[in-house]
Amino acid sequence: MRPLTPLRARPPRSALLAGAAGLLALAALTTSCSGPNGVTLGTDWKGSEDFTLSRIGGQLAVVGINPEKHRAEPLTVVPAQGDDDDTLAPQIAHLANGKWLLAVGRKGGKPDRLYVLDAKNRAVGRQAAVEEAAHGIVASAHYLAGVPGQADSGDGGHSSVLVGDGADLRRTVRTVRVDGTVSQAAGGTDSDKLCVTQDEGKGRSRRTRVLSLDLATGRTDRVIPFTGGTQAQTVACRGGRPVVGTPAAGRSGVVSMERRHDMDVVRAVGGRVDQLAVDGGTVAAAVFHGGKEILVTFDTATGHRTAQVTLPGLTDAAQVVRTRAGWLVVSPQDGAAVVRDGAAGSAGPDDVRHISLPGQFLAAS
């Protein structure tokens, strides 16, 4: 249910997936060892509830985060290839089957190289290639959506969302055409819906739309227009119901949630909504205001705020996800923080624990 940032620009539309079946290479890691270029690999696969990608010692590493023990460590290194494009950020997505999909860009507009991370079996293996830059990977209950970052050239300004079979990554099921350019997209393994935002223009002339797409049928369930030049900064998707984060004029820093009949809107007065997540009956928003990052939670049924916690040391957020230890917030610059369930207000040192991330952060799911 996590928004996609950033969406990649891409060449004209072609098929989403192609190549050989199954894992082409499999590397099992069961003990602490030294990887390529001396990268020291950890062993905490079982305790890691979340995975991110970092550059460590010049290598692309998968970092496992254990929120309960408040630590993160590289667990495996993705094999480097001569045509890897380091100027394109890699991507990682959590699939409905519990595995994780990694996409690594290639030079010259070649298909992205895909890898599947199987944390249960402590393995990473190469999968079929994508026949174009993987511009944006979003998983649903049964599908994998490839979301473009720009409209198709020569196709009347449409964007083609390519829908792959989640059980067979070689197979493209259908193409969903969306008018205009996609700004943000989010899915979730609780449904086969995709929530999409589109922003065009600036200021009061800005036109923003929110769409709910059904990946199972290829239909657009609904199109919701925003008014008054409102910007959609981020989006989450709850069973096909969009949750959109927007700024609001003012300085107070008040964060609120408005329930509408067709979507939920989280507003930050004088602030920036960095990330949204939905878990059961709770919406969580990571918001930057007054030089600091805060985590605010809301009841999905009423829209009432249930908690607000300052995250010391964090100034942005690339991911918010619920874990056994509480809410985990991952920052691309400042590491991560885990917020204990029940923490609120001026939380103490035991309520919010900081986690240092190794290497240079590249991507979160």
Side-chain angles (χ1 to χ4, degrees):
M1 295 183 226
R2 297 156 197 159
L4 178 71
T5 54
L7 292 172
R8 293 186 192 169
R10 66 183 180 95
R13 170 166 51 98
S14 56
L16 173 63
L17 301 171
L23 297 179
L24 301 180
L26 199 62
L29 302 169
T30 57
T31 59
S32 181
C33 61
S34 180
N37 284 1
V39 178
T40 300
L41 302 177
T43 61
D44 192 15
W45 288 89
K46 185 177 180 179
S48 296
E49 290 190 64
D50 190 39
F51 296 92
T52 62
L53 300 178
S54 290
R55 182 77 58 191
I56 303 176
Q59 302 293 307
L60 177 59
V62 178
V63 174
I65 302 177
N66 184 329
E68 291 184 305
K69 294 187 177 180
H70 317 119
R71 72 182 185 194
E73 59 186 13
L75 297 176
T76 187
V77 171
V78 179
Q81 306 293 334
D83 61 350
D84 288 348
D85 190 343
D86 293 339
T87 66
L88 286 176
Q91 297 184 77
I92 181 169
H94 196 187
L95 304 179
N97 62 9
K99 298 179 181 180
W100 301 71
L101 183 68
L102 285 59
V104 179
R106 299 167 69 193
K107 296 175 182 176
K110 294 179 182 178
D112 276 27
R113 191 172 278 111
L114 297 184
Y115 299 87
V116 170
L117 176 70
D118 185 346
K120 183 177 180 180
N121 294 313
R122 306 185 178 194
V124 60
R126 203 170 85 192
Q127 279 277 330
V130 178
E131 269 198 46
E132 57 183 326
H135 43 274
I137 295 175
V138 183
S140 72
H142 300 97
Y143 302 100
L144 183 71
V147 185
Q150 63 185 31
D152 297 328
S153 60
D155 195 26
H158 294 92
S159 294
S160 297
V161 177
L162 304 172
V163 183
D165 186 344
D168 182 358
L169 297 179
R170 298 166 296 165
R171 193 166 75 93
T172 299
V173 178
R174 63 183 54 86
T175 299
V176 180
R177 285 160 57 93
V178 178
D179 290 336
T181 300
V182 175
S183 301
Q184 301 276 344
T189 55
D190 60 343
S191 75
D192 284 318
K193 307 291 186 177
L194 186 73
C195 297
V196 169
T197 68
Q198 298 176 301
D199 281 305
E200 297 179 358
K202 297 180 180 180
R204 300 296 296 181
S205 64
R206 180 190 298 274
R207 292 181 300 166
T208 300
R209 301 194 310 167
V210 182
L211 289 72
S212 178
L213 309 179
D214 189 333
L215 299 180
T217 64
R219 297 175 181 150
T220 300
D221 284 348
R222 55 184 177 270
V223 179
I224 311 163
F226 263 104
T227 58
T230 303
Q231 177 189 10
Q233 292 180 319
T234 187
V235 63
C237 205
R238 177 168 62 95
R241 180 181 174 87
V243 184
V244 180
T246 71
R251 300 181 180 179
S252 68
V254 172
V255 183
S256 62
M257 177 170 144
E258 176 191 0
R259 283 188 50 79
R260 299 184 180 181
H261 73 281
D262 47 11
M263 67 175 173
D264 300 323
V265 180
V266 176
R267 287 192 177 87
V269 178
R272 182 187 70 221
V273 184
D274 287 330
Q275 289 293 322
L276 293 168
V278 185
D279 180 79
T282 302
V283 170
V287 176
F288 179 78
H289 177 266
K292 57 189 177 183
E293 197 79 11
I294 58 176
L295 181 71
V296 187
T297 57
F298 301 92
D299 186 306
T300 57
T302 64
H304 295 161
R305 185 172 59 192
T306 55
Q308 179 170 319
V309 181
T310 299
L311 307 177
L314 268 61
T315 57
D316 56 6
Q319 179 191 25
V320 177
V321 61
R322 186 62 176 264
T323 71
R324 291 187 297 267
W327 288 101
L328 176 68
V329 181
V330 178
S331 165
Q333 302 184 78
D334 310 312
V338 59
V339 180
R340 180 184 61 81
D341 286 340
S346 55
D350 293 332
D351 294 323
V352 182
R353 298 293 296 270
H354 186 268
I355 302 174
S356 295
L357 300 181
Q360 176 192 2
F361 175 88
L362 295 176
S365 61

